[in-house]
Amino acid sequence: TIPVGNRPQAIRADFQRGEVYVTNRDSNTLSVIDVRTNAVVATIAVGKAPVSFSLDKATNKLYVPASTENSVVVIDRNTRSVVRTIPVGKNPRSAAVDERVGKVYVNNRDDKTVTVINSKNDTTIKTLPSGADSTFATISAVYHRAYLPNFADGTLTVIDTDGDAVTKTLYIGDLAQGVVVDEAGALAGDLVGAQQRVDGVRRQQLVTRGIPDMVLARAGHAPQRRLVHVHRELAVLLRLHGPGLGDPDAAAWMPRG
């Protein structure tokens, strides 16, 4: 057991570097842990109410949204110090790094926007619209897209990470939580699995390519089951065959009975 700050929220690891990072919401800090000694080697003040954060190995920086200060704190991992504080929208939830294009996507829950940041110089590129109460974006290096679920209005915002434009907003069902992209099969045009809350339980659905009657249904530690066994669980399966590569063009529902 490693003591960190109050109310730890998120964790990221860089085992090549030998460090683990933890945000502490109530302490307004980020803890740096040495994996060789399992001890905290640095505690960095990061602004109020940090929750999720992202690691950019290409620039050797950490991006930590301070949710109640409407800003993102940038940390240099070499000096273990804050090098910049970037103003963003209201109540930033998370920061998703796309190292391929050198950008960071910060979703701002209260004003329904996404702030796009240049990770080379840590300046704002533009602000994009999103849905209500956005959660956590998933970056696809294969499709050159950011997929952002919006919890309150049940939509999925799809962002082109090359041109920084919203290519589609698709309704996927109430209380959308997160998205997983099947990168292994993505070159063949596979599926995105949308995660939702159903009856208070978080469920995740993925479809295996080429086997349309089989899903990987995971509710807690539930085993893999055929579609017939999960027909009472609401799920959304998005096929990535839209006019733009990586844009969903169909939603197949597995309705509750």
Side-chain angles (χ1 to χ4, degrees), residues 25 28 45-50 64-73 85-92 108 110:
R25 181 182 176 90
N28 303 323
V46 294
K48 293 181 180 179
V64 187
S67 61
T68 62
E69 293 185 344
N70 303 330
S71 64
V72 172
V73 173
T85 300
I86 306 170
V88 291
K90 295 180 181 179
N91 191 9
N108 309 299
D110 290 355

Side-chain angles (χ1 to χ4, degrees), residues 1-3 15 17-20 32-42 80:
T1 302
I2 304 172
F15 292 114
R17 188 181 177 90
E19 291 182 343
V20 173
V32 182
I33 300 170
D34 188 318
V35 300
R36 291 169 288 271
T37 62
N38 287 331
V40 174
V41 293
R80 294 174 180 165

Side-chain angles (χ1 to χ4, degrees), residues 150-155 171 173-178 195-198:
N150 304 299
F151 183 85
D153 58 17
T155 61
Y171 179 72
D174 295 339
L175 310 183
Q177 291 284 309
Q195 187 182 82
Q196 299 175 295
R197 283 191 183 276
V198 180

